[in-house]
Amino acid sequence: PIHWANLLGKHGELTLQESAKICAVRELFEEAGALLVRPRIALGEREWRSLRARVRQDASEFARVCAELQVVPAIDQLHLVQHWVTPRAAKKRFSTWFYVAVVDDIRTEADGCEAVRLGWQAADAWLAQHEDQSITLLPPQHYLLATLAAVESTTQLREVLSSCLLYTSDAADEEDSVDLGGRRIIKKKKIEYKE
């Protein structure tokens, strides 16, 4: 088996965040088709589709794909901006990390399964679509977009990302509402689960 620590040139075990970032890069490729690796490479359409199909069929193939291409996941480009945990009342709980990467140009295409549509537009445009109910944003997505809407350029975004973690909380467990960046408060519905 190919070990990520070896591919990354690291001695010893990976940290939790390094492992989470590798998973994020893999899922980005699997679900959105974006291959965030270094060095950056240009793949032909046929090879890109073939490699992506391998990873979609078996997530462990991502390490082999990276080894074959002689690239590594560009985890240094991912900046942790949020950490959210599913409410305690939920039957399944998730600890979800949100990352932001600033890239100039990258190929994307929805996988049709977990990602059904992809779009590139300003954060304000996504928030407006949420307000007019043409799309639904969950609190973590809304919070991140509200935060990004206040950033005016990629230069400013890089500065913000290099200086701080934008938000981390077990917000789902706090009282009965989530404050979304001072824009509005979403009241959480109390859901009772029957065994």
Side-chain angles (χ1 to χ4, degrees), residues 30-64:
E30 179 184 328
E31 297 171 18
L35 186 56
L36 188 64
V37 294
R38 57 181 171 75
R40 293 215 36 200
I41 58 169
L43 297 173
E45 183 79 15
R46 189 177 194 185
E47 183 179 19
W48 176 75
R49 289 193 182 284
S50 171
L51 296 173
R52 189 174 177 208
R54 281 173 53 191
V55 173
R56 284 176 55 204
Q57 188 171 13
D58 179 0
S60 68
E61 278 292 301
F62 189 56
R64 287 189 230 4

